[in-house]
Amino acid sequence: MGKNILLIDKLNKTKELSKEEFISLFETFNDEDIEYARSLACKIRDEWYGKNIFLRGLIEISNFCKNDCLYCGIRRSNSNAERYRLSKENILECCAKGYSLGYRTFVLQGGEDLYYTDDILCDIISSIKEHYPDVAVTLSIGEKTYQQYKKYFEAGADRYLLRHETANESHYYKLHPNSMSFKNRIECLYNLKKIGYQVGTGFMVESPFQTPKTLAEDFIFIKELQPDMVGIGPYIVHHSTPFANEQSGTARTTLFLLALLRIMIPNVLLPATTSLGTIDSNGQINGFLSGANVMMPNLSPAKVRKKYLLYDNKLCSGNEAAEFKVSLVKNLKEYGFRVLDSRGDVAKYPFVDRLPK
Ligand code: 5AD
């Protein structure tokens, strides 16, 4: 058996690899290794979640951002971005639409927009929970203080998504301006866990300056953090950023890394991301065929969707739009998957043990 197959088996057995082993795997994986990891990942996903796919309704609340991340289309310095933000009423309308379509998780995602004070955010969160007590509210609005995260939690937020972006400090500063802090970002993730959020982290695949070594550090960091969700998708060029001339990442590497994440953390929530669907027209299905079990269709008002452009050609109409749920369900069914209308919390026990006896 090949060396990489043995490493994948070792990851499956021990749930960890040394940094050197990860590096060697990332330097040398071939198509056979990818297929081996993907089929193992599907088996593990099936053990923990069956063929069930969870949906999250993604509401992109604002594309104003005080940060200037070098890869991101809504960075502060991009004067070509047409800015918008949603009011509480807009957001509640999205929830009403989503709820009637069967969505039981709403993700409020946005740039770091200082318009939303803690009071405004807490009011929005508690209003959603008041109207829809059976939904989970997920926030994805960047770095805040411990006290702020605590306030949102007390207002009813259940989950928080904050990708670490890279676990290698010098890589972090190649992707972000010095005004941002690697240490703070990592601290935010531990604060969120401490408060009691279900936490999601993640990174872009093949972002500029990513290497087998930085990727190995990502895997080791993720293993240590033990997040409930890990969102990864290919880095995709945005033409009005300093990285306009860099290369986009590939579906191939993303599918391999998705599978390895599933193998390393069997019960993790793993989304087939919009960026994966953007780089490859069958990308999200291929994600599910690599162990993913979550999808986040877009519930934002149609007129702002084209403005939340983190990268070029971002999908915004089609199966990834929340209102196309019927065709999405049908499409997934053809591949043997079932869409569940539930909050979709992280599984604490294998799927078979949760079936009624
Ligand atoms: N390509 C792919 N993903 C991106 N993100 C931001 N910009 C890009 C891009 N150009 C991702 C970041 C961020 C998430 C919301 O979107 O990882 O955390």
Side-chain angles (χ1 to χ4, degrees):
M1 252 201 290
K3 176 170 87 16
N4 289 341
I5 303 281
L6 291 174
L7 285 176
I8 294 165
D9 278 340
K10 180 170 180 195
L11 180 64
N12 185 31
K13 234 184 243 123
T14 66
K15 303 299 165 196
E16 61 187 1
L17 291 180
S18 70
K19 187 161 162 185
E20 292 66 36
E21 288 170 329
F22 271 124
I23 291 175
S24 147
L25 184 58
F26 296 143
E27 277 172 345
T28 60
F29 66 93
N30 61 26
D31 288 348
E32 192 194 339
D33 304 328
I34 298 176
E35 287 320 307
Y36 186 76
R38 291 180 72 195
S39 69
L40 188 54
C42 284
K43 214 176 101 214
I44 297 170
R45 186 264 328 279
D46 293 351
E47 278 164 24
W48 282 86
Y49 292 98
K51 294 281 185 200
N52 298 317
I53 305 291
F54 298 140
L55 298 185
R56 300 11 184 147
L58 179 65
I59 307 173
E60 296 158 334
I61 63 172
S62 168
N63 70 353
F64 283 89
C65 192
K66 71 178 171 71
N67 291 329
D68 222 8
C69 308
L70 279 79
Y71 46 83
C72 183
I74 64 168
R75 66 200 302 269
R76 180 183 69 217
S77 302
N78 181 10
S79 53
N80 296 327
E82 251 187 85
R83 306 288 170 171
Y84 75 90
R85 65 169 64 92
L86 302 183
S87 65
K88 174 185 173 189
E89 289 66 37
N90 295 152
I91 294 170
L92 285 171
E93 282 164 26
C94 296
C95 295
K97 185 172 97 180
Y99 195 88
S100 70
L101 287 164
Y103 290 87
R104 293 296 177 268
T105 293
F106 300 125
V107 181
L108 309 187
Q109 184 175 90
E112 293 197 16
D113 179 355
L114 297 176
Y115 160 84
Y116 297 96
T117 60
D118 293 343
D119 286 347
I120 295 179
L121 283 168
C122 288
D123 178 43
I124 294 171
I125 296 161
S126 57
S127 303
I128 297 175
K129 294 295 271 201
E130 215 169 276
H131 283 85
Y132 311 104
D134 56 334
V135 307
V137 171
T138 303
L139 301 178
S140 178
I141 51 175
E143 295 175 33
K144 306 277 181 180
T145 65
Y146 183 92
Q147 282 311 324
Q148 290 180 298
Y149 285 147
K150 195 152 190 297
K151 277 191 209 167
Y152 312 152
F153 189 74
E154 283 162 4
D158 303 275
R159 308 187 184 131
Y160 207 101
L161 308 181
L162 183 75
R163 290 186 175 180
H164 66 286
E165 311 296 359
T166 171
N168 177 285
E169 185 157 8
S170 59
H171 185 211
Y172 186 87
Y173 290 109
K174 290 180 182 160
L175 300 179
H176 304 95
N178 283 327
S179 54
M180 291 177 73
S181 158
F182 173 71
K183 288 205 169 58
N184 189 61
R185 197 157 188 96
I186 302 298
E187 196 175 305
C188 282
L189 284 161
Y190 283 102
N191 285 342
L192 289 162
K193 281 206 81 162
K194 196 154 138 201
I195 292 166
Y197 282 96
Q198 292 180 36
V199 172
T201 194
F203 59 88
M204 294 173 290
V205 175
E206 296 170 319
S207 63
F209 312 110
Q210 186 175 79
T211 63
K213 174 167 174 270
T214 65
L215 262 184
E217 292 173 24
D218 287 322
F219 272 69
I220 289 167
F221 168 72
I222 289 168
K223 173 72 191 177
E224 184 194 300
L225 179 69
Q226 285 286 320
D228 303 284
M229 181 187 259
V230 179
I232 66 165
Y235 160 72
I236 302 177
V237 171
H238 187 291
H239 62 279
S240 329
T241 63
F243 288 163
N245 296 319
E246 299 288 334
Q247 285 232 326
S248 293
T250 61
R252 179 178 182 269
T253 305
T254 306
L255 296 174
F256 184 53
L257 299 185
L258 276 172
L260 295 181
L261 286 168
R262 170 65 66 205
I263 295 168
M264 183 169 77
I265 312 182
N267 66 334
V268 77
L269 294 162
L270 208 53
T273 55
T274 305
S275 62
L276 181 55
T278 299
I279 210 79
D280 168 4
S281 59
N282 211 32
Q284 284 166 306
I285 291 290
N286 287 331
F288 295 123
L289 297 174
S290 301
N293 68 326
V294 174
M295 194 171 157
M296 300 169 66
N298 197 320
L299 255 187
S300 308
K303 65 174 190 302
V304 306
R305 267 182 214 173
K306 283 198 190 66
K307 299 183 184 168
Y308 197 81
L309 278 189
L310 305 179
Y311 44 81
D312 289 343
N313 306 315
K314 181 170 160 260
L315 295 182
C316 62
S317 59
N319 266 347
E320 69 299 325
E323 57 274 27
F324 288 96
K325 192 173 156 218
V326 176
S327 74
L328 174 67
V329 168
K330 190 166 154 253
N331 190 221
L332 285 170
K333 203 171 161 201
E334 283 163 23
Y335 290 89
F337 295 107
R338 183 169 49 235
V339 168
L340 285 196
D341 287 340
S342 72
R343 286 172 44 116
D345 287 300
V346 73
K348 296 292 178 207
Y349 306 97
F351 182 63
V352 282
D353 298 344
R354 288 182 282 125
L355 291 175
K357 297 261 149 54

